[in-house]
Amino acid sequence: MGNCCRKNCSCLSGVLPCVFNNEKRATSYTTNDIVIQNIHINTQHDGPQLPPRFENRREPQINTYVALYSYEGRTPDELSFKAGDKMVILDTTHASWWKAKLSRTRGKTEGYVPFNYVAPVSSIESMPWFFKDTKRTAAERLLLQPGNITGSFLIRESESQKGEYSLSVFDGIAVKHYRLRKLDDGGFYITAKSKFISMNELVEYYGKREEGLCCKLLKPCLKTAIPLPPDLCYNTADHWEIDRNSLKCLKKLGQGQFGEVWEGLWNNTIPVAIKTLKTGSMNPQDFLREAQFMKNLRHPKLIQLYAVCTLEEPVYIITELMKHGSLHTYLQNDNGTSIHIPHQVDMAAQVASGMAYLETQSFIHRDLAARNVLVGENSVYKVADFGLARVFTGDDVYEAKNDTKLPLKWTAPEAVKYNKFTVKSDVWAFGILMFEIVTYGKMPYPGLTGRQALDKLEQGYRIPKPFTCPHDLYEIMLQCWNAKPEERPTFETLQWKLEDYFETEASSYLEANSFVR
Ligand code: AMP
């Protein structure tokens, strides 16, 4: 298979249908609403890059927003609010922290709020059943969580196929999926017999009758994961050299190639991971240049860099904390007890999603491996340590090559031989990572040194299919190890192949067919 575009791709990326136009607007305001006055909505963001999740988001037209989650302000500049509170957005000059005004009479009323905690009142995003960038497998995982009931449901928008929506419903035994079809005038339907002007109306209708669905839509799926704010706080969004005294190390999590990693607290309250770098392991100037770029890389499948302490040694890197540590250890600890192929394909798909984002940014990771993927709660996997390989030197995994050290068994032959690191050498490493995933963290090329493995690779040798690995999955690995870099798939292609791995055109979506005669 070559580097084809996504299945059914209409190549309309960037052309987001105007979903909010077709939603019913709230016509009456609660006591929490206030009148909009002198609102400054700036559509020119010349500050940091607009977070990717919101690149296609329409600028607020109705400026009354609702809080999707509760938030405790972390500095005097920020607002504290409860889920459901309404507020007026006064200023969106800053890409990720918006100035807002709450209408309450007590407490602070004006301040900054994280952009990903609010949505326009009555928009689809503000609905409790809307799970924006949720894949089919993730929807199943969420709906099968304890606390959901027969009739729990969610509506999701495909991350890669903007503008496509699906309904996922738990029928008491399994999760069923239905595609929501769109009408030219902006409405929606599941069967042509019943058409609706908005998604709200559709949800209300099927809440009262099954009409071909597996059951009525009774309760929005529980939202267990609260997203992280985009930064440690409003103040560190642009000034991310922080005082090291604001950090407290609580528990050592691991010893990495370049120093120690600690679980810690920032300002005595916010859990963070603190990476302390061995003195002399890098040039602070090189690191700062890299970190500058890394700070602006934002994606749900990339570890968010929050802040740094570079004024003294040892340098600290502060990132989001991932509860279950490295994927390598996680896989080895499980060793096949509870993790099986569907879950393993989902892990690979999540990593491919983060890498596909780096690909769009023309950013090369250089050290993609299970040891550099971290595991969070609710089976969330994120790529870590991107960009660091450029500024560090390491040890055992990183075998010497002239004056640099490389993780030879993960590095594409052209990168070892000619120092040609590209997105395609990352794709090669992704194939090795897939091998690690299916073998529960086995060392690739057992019994060979990296140098010996390289010699064999040049003679056409490739890692044989692991015993438990399905043929189709092994095929994807082999594509990543194509000797010609340009013939390896893109991460975008890898992402959809893995996301659609269990889908077939015929079986993936049910028809609500009680009206089909
Ligand atoms: P590293 O130096 O990145 O190889 O990290 C060493 C170990 O520390 C990893 O294998 C993880 O177990 C742990 N670790 C690193 N970063 C984090 C993080 N952000 N959250 C939780 N654990 C981490």
Side-chain angles (χ1 to χ4, degrees):
M1 283 185 272
N3 299 352
C4 50
C5 191
R6 191 181 175 99
K7 186 163 56 180
N8 301 332
C9 175
S10 52
C11 293
L12 286 176
S13 51
V15 185
L16 187 70
C18 189
V19 288
F20 302 124
N21 276 352
N22 304 308
E23 284 295 292
K24 282 183 190 162
R25 301 287 186 194
T27 47
S28 62
Y29 292 114
T30 68
T31 47
N32 274 352
D33 293 344
I34 66 157
V35 179
I36 305 163
Q37 287 174 331
N38 300 328
I39 292 161
H40 170 205
I41 299 289
N42 185 349
T43 55
Q44 298 295 310
H45 294 282
D46 44 18
Q49 200 188 12
L50 191 64
R53 281 163 289 186
F54 269 44
E55 261 163 14
N56 284 333
R57 185 179 175 141
R58 286 150 29 91
E59 283 300 323
Q61 290 188 346
I62 286 187
N63 302 306
T64 309
Y65 274 54
V66 61
L68 305 176
Y69 315 93
S70 299
Y71 180 75
E72 203 58 52
R74 297 174 177 185
T75 64
D77 294 310
E78 296 175 17
L79 272 183
S80 298
F81 50 84
K82 297 249 172 304
D85 279 357
K86 299 219 178 74
M87 62 188 81
V88 168
I89 298 296
L90 302 172
D91 189 343
T92 61
T93 308
H94 196 287
S96 45
W97 293 84
W98 291 351
K99 194 163 195 183
K101 183 165 182 152
L102 285 162
S103 62
R104 66 189 171 207
T105 47
R106 267 183 286 151
K108 187 177 167 63
T109 55
E110 221 174 283
Y112 288 91
V113 299
F115 77 98
N116 55 341
Y117 275 51
V118 297
V121 160
S122 301
S123 66
I124 296 179
E125 283 169 323
S126 72
M127 297 299 152
W129 38 258
F130 189 64
F131 285 57
K132 192 172 176 5
D133 296 326
T134 302
K135 305 282 160 17
R136 180 192 172 93
T137 41
E140 290 175 359
R141 209 170 45 233
L142 289 166
L143 283 162
L144 292 172
Q145 290 178 117
N148 285 316
I149 56 164
T150 301
S152 286
F153 70 101
L154 59 86
I155 292 181
R156 55 198 168 85
E157 185 192 29
S158 151
E159 195 176 28
S160 43
Q161 297 197 66
K162 294 281 178 220
E164 292 230 341
Y165 298 97
S166 300
L167 165 69
S168 302
V169 193
F170 178 53
D171 69 2
I173 299 168
V175 176
K176 304 280 162 56
H177 306 273
Y178 303 86
R179 225 188 269 289
L180 299 193
R181 313 269 169 202
K182 272 203 299 215
L183 292 163
D184 288 345
D185 65 3
F188 300 92
Y189 67 95
I190 299 176
T191 62
K193 172 112 186 202
S194 307
K195 297 179 177 164
F196 307 93
I197 58 161
S198 72
M199 244 186 239
N200 257 336
E201 208 176 71
L202 180 147
V203 166
E204 220 169 273
Y205 182 86
Y206 286 106
K208 297 197 181 104
R209 50 188 85 68
E210 290 164 11
E211 275 205 2
L213 296 187
C214 57
C215 58
K216 288 182 206 159
L217 307 182
L218 294 183
K219 193 178 149 214
C221 177
L222 290 177
K223 275 195 173 156
T224 46
I226 297 178
L228 290 169
D231 305 279
L232 272 183
C233 67
Y234 168 68
N235 304 81
T236 61
D238 300 324
H239 307 282
W240 38 285
E241 173 76 44
I242 59 167
D243 180 0
R244 63 183 62 216
N245 295 320
S246 64
L247 296 163
K248 193 188 274 175
C249 290
L250 296 178
K251 188 173 116 197
K252 188 168 162 181
L253 294 174
Q255 178 76 46
Q257 316 295 335
F258 315 115
E260 294 174 352
V261 181
W262 287 76
E263 177 181 341
L265 286 178
W266 171 75
N267 266 3
N268 278 324
T269 44
I270 310 301
V272 288
I274 304 166
K275 192 173 250 193
T276 69
L277 302 177
K278 282 181 205 154
T279 304
S281 63
M282 46 116 232
N283 172 341
Q285 291 311 316
D286 288 348
F287 167 67
L288 267 180
R289 208 176 340 100
E290 201 65 33
Q292 187 91 35
F293 198 80
M294 283 154 56
K295 181 77 169 65
N296 286 328
L297 295 173
R298 290 169 190 269
H299 187 272
K301 302 300 172 195
L302 295 186
I303 289 290
Q304 184 61 45
L305 172 68
Y306 281 150
V308 292
C309 303
T310 61
L311 300 183
E312 303 163 31
E313 297 242 39
V315 164
Y316 288 175
I317 302 177
I318 319 304
T319 66
E320 67 177 283
L321 180 69
M322 296 291 278
K323 194 172 169 201
H324 299 292
S326 96
L327 176 61
H328 187 246
T329 314
Y330 188 73
L331 287 164
Q332 288 190 328
N333 289 344
D334 185 89
N335 200 24
T337 339
S338 62
I339 295 173
H340 303 293
I341 286 294
H343 190 159
Q344 287 163 310
V345 170
D346 183 35
M347 286 174 182
Q350 293 192 38
V351 174
S353 161
M355 292 304 298
Y357 168 71
L358 289 184
E359 183 174 69
T360 64
Q361 305 296 304
S362 303
F363 191 91
I364 307 162
H365 188 299
R366 289 171 174 245
D367 195 5
L368 181 61
R371 61 185 170 276
N372 286 330
V373 172
L374 294 170
V375 186
E377 285 180 277
N378 301 318
S379 307
V380 167
Y381 303 90
K382 299 194 184 193
V383 178
D385 285 352
F386 36 95
L388 289 187
R390 231 195 302 257
V391 279
F392 292 119
T393 53
D395 47 31
D396 47 340
V397 178
Y398 299 77
E399 295 177 37
K401 201 239 156 193
N402 302 332
D403 54 347
T404 57
K405 288 188 173 187
L406 291 175
L408 282 186
K409 290 185 175 181
W410 283 260
T411 307
E414 75 279 2
V416 182
K417 280 177 69 183
Y418 311 114
N419 217 21
K420 206 165 169 265
F421 285 90
T422 60
V423 170
K424 296 301 184 190
S425 51
D426 279 352
V427 170
W428 178 287
F430 182 79
I432 305 289
L433 166 64
M434 284 179 66
F435 164 86
E436 294 183 274
I437 290 177
V438 292
T439 59
Y440 299 96
K442 292 247 157 43
M443 176 62 102
Y445 314 99
L448 299 181
T449 65
R451 183 60 57 190
Q452 289 166 336
L454 197 68
D455 290 344
K456 287 188 76 167
L457 285 170
E458 294 205 305
Q459 292 155 23
Y461 171 84
R462 293 294 181 269
I463 296 175
K465 185 175 90 59
F467 182 62
T468 53
C469 181
H471 180 76
D472 288 353
L473 211 53
Y474 182 59
E475 264 301 304
I476 299 177
M477 289 181 207
L478 286 179
Q479 288 162 18
C480 296
W481 301 328
N482 193 310
K484 293 183 183 156
E486 64 283 6
E487 289 184 13
R488 295 174 202 153
T490 60
F491 278 112
E492 188 200 8
T493 300
L494 288 165
Q495 182 187 348
W496 74 251
K497 280 189 179 171
L498 291 161
E499 281 168 3
D500 294 357
Y501 188 82
F502 293 104
E503 290 190 25
T504 61
E505 283 300 319
S507 69
S508 68
Y509 287 90
L510 296 172
E511 293 291 328
N513 56 7
S514 60
F515 289 106
V516 179
R517 287 165 209 271

Short mmCIF file of all heavy atoms in Angstrom, two decimals, residues 252-263 272-277 303-304 318-329 370-375 384-385 388 398, ligand 1:
data_model
loop_
_atom_site.label_atom_id
_atom_site.label_comp_id
_atom_site.label_asym_id
_atom_site.label_seq_id
_atom_site.Cartn_x
_atom_site.Cartn_y
_atom_site.Cartn_z
N LYS A 252 10.53 10.36 43.32
CA LYS A 252 11.34 10.12 42.12
C LYS A 252 10.61 9.11 41.25
O LYS A 252 10.21 8.04 41.71
CB LYS A 252 12.71 9.59 42.52
CG LYS A 252 13.66 9.48 41.37
CD LYS A 252 15.08 9.23 41.85
CE LYS A 252 15.91 8.69 40.71
NZ LYS A 252 17.27 8.40 41.10
N LEU A 253 10.39 9.48 39.99
CA LEU A 253 9.64 8.59 39.09
C LEU A 253 10.57 7.74 38.24
O LEU A 253 10.20 6.65 37.82
CB LEU A 253 8.77 9.42 38.13
CG LEU A 253 7.65 10.21 38.75
CD1 LEU A 253 6.99 11.09 37.70
CD2 LEU A 253 6.62 9.26 39.35
N GLY A 254 11.72 8.25 37.98
CA GLY A 254 12.59 7.46 37.10
C GLY A 254 13.91 8.14 36.88
O GLY A 254 14.13 9.30 37.26
N GLN A 255 14.77 7.35 36.32
CA GLN A 255 16.10 7.81 35.98
C GLN A 255 16.19 7.71 34.47
O GLN A 255 16.12 6.61 33.93
CB GLN A 255 17.14 6.90 36.65
CG GLN A 255 18.58 7.22 36.35
CD GLN A 255 19.05 8.45 37.14
OE1 GLN A 255 18.79 8.57 38.33
NE2 GLN A 255 19.71 9.36 36.44
N GLY A 256 16.25 8.83 33.79
CA GLY A 256 16.30 8.78 32.33
C GLY A 256 17.72 8.84 31.82
O GLY A 256 18.68 8.77 32.59
N GLN A 257 17.82 8.94 30.49
CA GLN A 257 19.14 9.02 29.87
C GLN A 257 19.88 10.28 30.34
O GLN A 257 21.09 10.30 30.41
CB GLN A 257 19.01 9.12 28.34
CG GLN A 257 18.01 8.18 27.71
CD GLN A 257 18.41 6.74 27.87
OE1 GLN A 257 19.59 6.44 28.03
NE2 GLN A 257 17.44 5.85 27.85
N PHE A 258 19.11 11.31 30.66
CA PHE A 258 19.75 12.61 30.84
C PHE A 258 19.61 13.16 32.26
O PHE A 258 19.99 14.28 32.52
CB PHE A 258 19.14 13.61 29.85
CG PHE A 258 19.02 13.03 28.47
CD1 PHE A 258 17.77 12.82 27.89
CD2 PHE A 258 20.15 12.65 27.78
CE1 PHE A 258 17.67 12.28 26.63
CE2 PHE A 258 20.05 12.09 26.52
CZ PHE A 258 18.81 11.91 25.93
N GLY A 259 19.04 12.39 33.14
CA GLY A 259 18.88 12.88 34.50
C GLY A 259 17.70 12.21 35.16
O GLY A 259 17.23 11.17 34.70
N GLU A 260 17.22 12.83 36.25
CA GLU A 260 16.13 12.22 37.01
C GLU A 260 14.80 12.86 36.65
O GLU A 260 14.76 14.00 36.21
CB GLU A 260 16.38 12.44 38.50
CG GLU A 260 17.61 11.71 38.99
CD GLU A 260 17.94 12.06 40.44
OE1 GLU A 260 17.30 12.97 41.01
OE2 GLU A 260 18.85 11.40 40.98
N VAL A 261 13.73 12.08 36.88
CA VAL A 261 12.39 12.64 36.69
C VAL A 261 11.64 12.50 38.02
O VAL A 261 11.64 11.43 38.63
CB VAL A 261 11.62 11.91 35.57
CG1 VAL A 261 10.25 12.53 35.38
CG2 VAL A 261 12.39 11.97 34.26
N TRP A 262 11.05 13.60 38.45
CA TRP A 262 10.33 13.63 39.73
C TRP A 262 8.87 14.01 39.52
O TRP A 262 8.55 14.83 38.66
CB TRP A 262 10.97 14.66 40.66
CG TRP A 262 12.29 14.23 41.21
CD1 TRP A 262 13.49 14.20 40.54
CD2 TRP A 262 12.54 13.74 42.52
NE1 TRP A 262 14.47 13.72 41.36
CE2 TRP A 262 13.92 13.44 42.58
CE3 TRP A 262 11.75 13.53 43.65
CZ2 TRP A 262 14.51 12.93 43.75
CZ3 TRP A 262 12.33 13.04 44.81
CH2 TRP A 262 13.70 12.74 44.84
N GLU A 263 8.03 13.38 40.34
CA GLU A 263 6.67 13.89 40.46
C GLU A 263 6.75 15.05 41.44
O GLU A 263 7.43 14.95 42.46
CB GLU A 263 5.76 12.79 41.03
CG GLU A 263 4.35 13.27 41.25
CD GLU A 263 3.45 12.18 41.83
OE1 GLU A 263 3.80 10.98 41.76
OE2 GLU A 263 2.42 12.56 42.38
N VAL A 272 2.93 18.24 38.64
CA VAL A 272 3.76 18.37 37.42
C VAL A 272 4.83 17.27 37.43
O VAL A 272 5.08 16.65 38.47
CB VAL A 272 4.49 19.74 37.34
CG1 VAL A 272 3.53 20.88 37.04
CG2 VAL A 272 5.29 20.01 38.61
N ALA A 273 5.45 17.05 36.28
CA ALA A 273 6.65 16.21 36.22
C ALA A 273 7.84 17.15 36.10
O ALA A 273 7.80 18.12 35.34
CB ALA A 273 6.58 15.28 35.03
N ILE A 274 8.87 16.87 36.90
CA ILE A 274 10.07 17.74 36.89
C ILE A 274 11.24 16.89 36.41
O ILE A 274 11.61 15.90 37.06
CB ILE A 274 10.37 18.29 38.30
CG1 ILE A 274 9.14 19.03 38.84
CG2 ILE A 274 11.60 19.19 38.27
CD1 ILE A 274 9.22 19.32 40.34
N LYS A 275 11.80 17.26 35.30
CA LYS A 275 12.95 16.53 34.77
C LYS A 275 14.19 17.33 35.13
O LYS A 275 14.31 18.50 34.75
CB LYS A 275 12.78 16.41 33.25
CG LYS A 275 13.73 15.46 32.62
CD LYS A 275 13.40 15.27 31.17
CE LYS A 275 12.85 13.89 30.93
NZ LYS A 275 12.78 13.52 29.54
N THR A 276 15.08 16.75 35.89
CA THR A 276 16.31 17.46 36.27
C THR A 276 17.44 16.92 35.40
O THR A 276 17.65 15.72 35.34
CB THR A 276 16.66 17.25 37.76
OG1 THR A 276 17.05 15.89 37.92
CG2 THR A 276 15.48 17.54 38.67
N LEU A 277 18.12 17.78 34.69
CA LEU A 277 19.11 17.33 33.71
C LEU A 277 20.51 17.31 34.31
O LEU A 277 20.91 18.27 34.98
CB LEU A 277 19.07 18.24 32.49
CG LEU A 277 17.71 18.31 31.81
CD1 LEU A 277 17.74 19.29 30.67
CD2 LEU A 277 17.31 16.94 31.29
N ILE A 303 3.16 15.37 24.96
CA ILE A 303 3.33 15.89 26.31
C ILE A 303 3.53 17.40 26.24
O ILE A 303 4.33 17.89 25.45
CB ILE A 303 4.59 15.24 26.96
CG1 ILE A 303 4.32 13.78 27.27
CG2 ILE A 303 5.04 15.99 28.21
CD1 ILE A 303 3.34 13.54 28.39
N GLN A 304 2.78 18.12 27.06
CA GLN A 304 2.88 19.58 27.03
C GLN A 304 4.05 20.05 27.89
O GLN A 304 4.15 19.69 29.07
CB GLN A 304 1.57 20.19 27.52
CG GLN A 304 1.52 21.71 27.44
CD GLN A 304 1.67 22.23 26.01
OE1 GLN A 304 1.05 21.72 25.09
NE2 GLN A 304 2.51 23.23 25.84
N ILE A 318 9.80 21.29 33.05
CA ILE A 318 8.53 21.01 33.73
C ILE A 318 7.47 20.66 32.69
O ILE A 318 7.22 21.45 31.77
CB ILE A 318 8.02 22.26 34.52
CG1 ILE A 318 9.18 22.96 35.24
CG2 ILE A 318 6.90 21.88 35.48
CD1 ILE A 318 9.98 22.11 36.15
N THR A 319 6.89 19.48 32.83
CA THR A 319 5.88 19.05 31.86
C THR A 319 4.64 18.54 32.59
O THR A 319 4.65 18.40 33.81
CB THR A 319 6.38 17.89 30.97
OG1 THR A 319 6.57 16.74 31.80
CG2 THR A 319 7.67 18.22 30.25
N GLU A 320 3.63 18.20 31.80
CA GLU A 320 2.45 17.57 32.41
C GLU A 320 2.87 16.21 32.97
O GLU A 320 3.81 15.57 32.48
CB GLU A 320 1.31 17.44 31.41
CG GLU A 320 1.55 16.50 30.27
CD GLU A 320 0.33 16.36 29.36
OE1 GLU A 320 -0.61 15.67 29.74
OE2 GLU A 320 0.35 16.95 28.26
N LEU A 321 2.17 15.81 34.01
CA LEU A 321 2.49 14.55 34.70
C LEU A 321 1.63 13.43 34.14
O LEU A 321 0.42 13.59 33.97
CB LEU A 321 2.18 14.74 36.19
CG LEU A 321 2.45 13.55 37.11
CD1 LEU A 321 3.94 13.28 37.24
CD2 LEU A 321 1.84 13.81 38.49
N MET A 322 2.25 12.30 33.82
CA MET A 322 1.50 11.17 33.27
C MET A 322 1.53 10.05 34.30
O MET A 322 2.61 9.51 34.62
CB MET A 322 2.12 10.73 31.95
CG MET A 322 2.04 11.77 30.87
SD MET A 322 0.35 12.06 30.29
CE MET A 322 0.15 10.72 29.14
N LYS A 323 0.35 9.68 34.76
CA LYS A 323 0.22 8.82 35.93
C LYS A 323 0.95 7.47 35.80
O LYS A 323 1.53 6.98 36.76
CB LYS A 323 -1.27 8.58 36.18
CG LYS A 323 -1.53 7.99 37.53
CD LYS A 323 -3.00 7.94 37.84
CE LYS A 323 -3.19 7.09 39.08
NZ LYS A 323 -4.51 6.57 39.22
N HIS A 324 0.90 6.87 34.62
CA HIS A 324 1.43 5.50 34.51
C HIS A 324 2.83 5.41 33.92
O HIS A 324 3.28 4.31 33.58
CB HIS A 324 0.46 4.63 33.72
CG HIS A 324 -0.88 4.53 34.38
ND1 HIS A 324 -1.08 3.87 35.57
CD2 HIS A 324 -2.08 5.04 34.04
CE1 HIS A 324 -2.35 3.98 35.92
NE2 HIS A 324 -2.98 4.68 35.01
N GLY A 325 3.53 6.52 33.80
CA GLY A 325 4.93 6.48 33.37
C GLY A 325 5.14 6.03 31.93
O GLY A 325 4.27 6.21 31.07
N SER A 326 6.29 5.40 31.69
CA SER A 326 6.66 5.12 30.28
C SER A 326 5.90 3.93 29.72
O SER A 326 5.61 2.96 30.43
CB SER A 326 8.16 4.90 30.16
OG SER A 326 8.45 3.53 30.19
N LEU A 327 5.61 3.99 28.44
CA LEU A 327 4.89 2.91 27.76
C LEU A 327 5.71 1.62 27.80
O LEU A 327 5.17 0.52 27.93
CB LEU A 327 4.59 3.32 26.31
CG LEU A 327 3.93 2.26 25.44
CD1 LEU A 327 2.57 1.84 26.00
CD2 LEU A 327 3.76 2.75 24.00
N HIS A 328 7.03 1.77 27.74
CA HIS A 328 7.89 0.58 27.73
C HIS A 328 7.68 -0.24 29.01
O HIS A 328 7.41 -1.43 28.97
CB HIS A 328 9.35 1.04 27.58
CG HIS A 328 10.28 -0.09 27.39
ND1 HIS A 328 11.25 -0.44 28.31
CD2 HIS A 328 10.37 -1.01 26.39
CE1 HIS A 328 11.90 -1.50 27.87
NE2 HIS A 328 11.39 -1.87 26.71
N THR A 329 7.74 0.44 30.15
CA THR A 329 7.56 -0.25 31.43
C THR A 329 6.12 -0.75 31.57
O THR A 329 5.88 -1.86 32.06
CB THR A 329 7.88 0.73 32.59
OG1 THR A 329 9.09 1.39 32.27
CG2 THR A 329 8.01 0.03 33.92
N ALA A 370 9.24 3.29 22.60
CA ALA A 370 8.27 3.11 23.69
C ALA A 370 8.74 3.81 24.97
O ALA A 370 7.92 4.26 25.77
CB ALA A 370 8.05 1.61 23.94
N ARG A 371 10.06 3.92 25.16
CA ARG A 371 10.56 4.59 26.38
C ARG A 371 10.21 6.07 26.38
O ARG A 371 10.22 6.72 27.42
CB ARG A 371 12.08 4.39 26.52
CG ARG A 371 12.88 4.98 25.39
CD ARG A 371 14.38 4.71 25.44
NE ARG A 371 14.98 5.13 24.18
CZ ARG A 371 15.04 4.39 23.07
NH1 ARG A 371 14.58 3.16 23.10
NH2 ARG A 371 15.57 4.86 21.96
N ASN A 372 9.93 6.62 25.20
CA ASN A 372 9.59 8.05 25.09
C ASN A 372 8.12 8.30 24.81
O ASN A 372 7.75 9.36 24.31
CB ASN A 372 10.47 8.71 24.03
CG ASN A 372 11.89 8.90 24.54
OD1 ASN A 372 12.10 9.07 25.74
ND2 ASN A 372 12.86 8.84 23.64
N VAL A 373 7.28 7.31 25.11
CA VAL A 373 5.83 7.51 25.06
C VAL A 373 5.36 7.34 26.49
O VAL A 373 5.81 6.43 27.20
CB VAL A 373 5.15 6.47 24.13
CG1 VAL A 373 3.64 6.55 24.24
CG2 VAL A 373 5.60 6.70 22.68
N LEU A 374 4.48 8.22 26.96
CA LEU A 374 4.02 8.15 28.36
C LEU A 374 2.54 7.79 28.42
O LEU A 374 1.78 8.10 27.50
CB LEU A 374 4.28 9.48 29.06
CG LEU A 374 5.77 9.84 29.23
CD1 LEU A 374 5.93 11.27 29.71
CD2 LEU A 374 6.45 8.88 30.21
N VAL A 375 2.18 7.16 29.52
CA VAL A 375 0.83 6.62 29.67
C VAL A 375 0.08 7.40 30.76
O VAL A 375 0.56 7.50 31.89
CB VAL A 375 0.89 5.12 30.06
CG1 VAL A 375 -0.50 4.51 30.09
CG2 VAL A 375 1.81 4.35 29.13
N ALA A 384 6.57 11.90 24.15
CA ALA A 384 7.36 12.79 25.00
C ALA A 384 8.76 12.98 24.40
O ALA A 384 9.13 12.30 23.44
CB ALA A 384 7.48 12.20 26.40
N ASP A 385 9.49 13.88 24.99
CA ASP A 385 10.92 14.07 24.68
C ASP A 385 11.20 14.42 23.23
O ASP A 385 12.30 14.15 22.74
CB ASP A 385 11.73 12.82 25.07
CG ASP A 385 11.90 12.74 26.59
OD1 ASP A 385 11.53 13.71 27.27
OD2 ASP A 385 12.37 11.71 27.08
N LEU A 388 14.46 16.67 22.07
CA LEU A 388 15.57 16.63 23.02
C LEU A 388 16.79 15.93 22.45
O LEU A 388 17.92 16.25 22.80
CB LEU A 388 15.14 15.95 24.32
CG LEU A 388 14.16 16.77 25.18
CD1 LEU A 388 13.93 16.08 26.51
CD2 LEU A 388 14.69 18.18 25.41
N TYR A 398 21.94 4.54 23.41
CA TYR A 398 22.46 5.47 22.42
C TYR A 398 23.91 5.13 22.09
O TYR A 398 24.83 5.61 22.72
CB TYR A 398 22.33 6.90 22.96
CG TYR A 398 20.91 7.26 23.21
CD1 TYR A 398 20.25 6.79 24.35
CD2 TYR A 398 20.19 8.03 22.31
CE1 TYR A 398 18.92 7.07 24.57
CE2 TYR A 398 18.86 8.31 22.53
CZ TYR A 398 18.24 7.84 23.66
OH TYR A 398 16.92 8.12 23.88
P1 AMP B 1 13.11 10.03 30.63
O1 AMP B 1 14.24 10.78 31.22
O2 AMP B 1 12.22 10.88 29.81
O3 AMP B 1 13.54 8.78 29.93
O4 AMP B 1 12.19 9.57 31.88
C1 AMP B 1 12.57 8.55 32.80
C2 AMP B 1 11.33 7.94 33.39
O5 AMP B 1 10.62 8.92 34.17
C3 AMP B 1 10.33 7.47 32.34
O6 AMP B 1 10.63 6.18 31.94
C4 AMP B 1 9.01 7.57 33.09
O7 AMP B 1 8.80 6.43 33.87
C5 AMP B 1 9.21 8.75 34.01
N1 AMP B 1 8.66 9.98 33.41
C6 AMP B 1 9.25 10.83 32.53
N2 AMP B 1 8.45 11.86 32.23
C7 AMP B 1 7.31 11.67 32.93
C8 AMP B 1 6.06 12.39 33.02
N3 AMP B 1 5.85 13.53 32.34
N4 AMP B 1 5.10 11.89 33.81
C9 AMP B 1 5.31 10.74 34.50
N5 AMP B 1 6.45 10.02 34.46
C10 AMP B 1 7.44 10.46 33.69
#
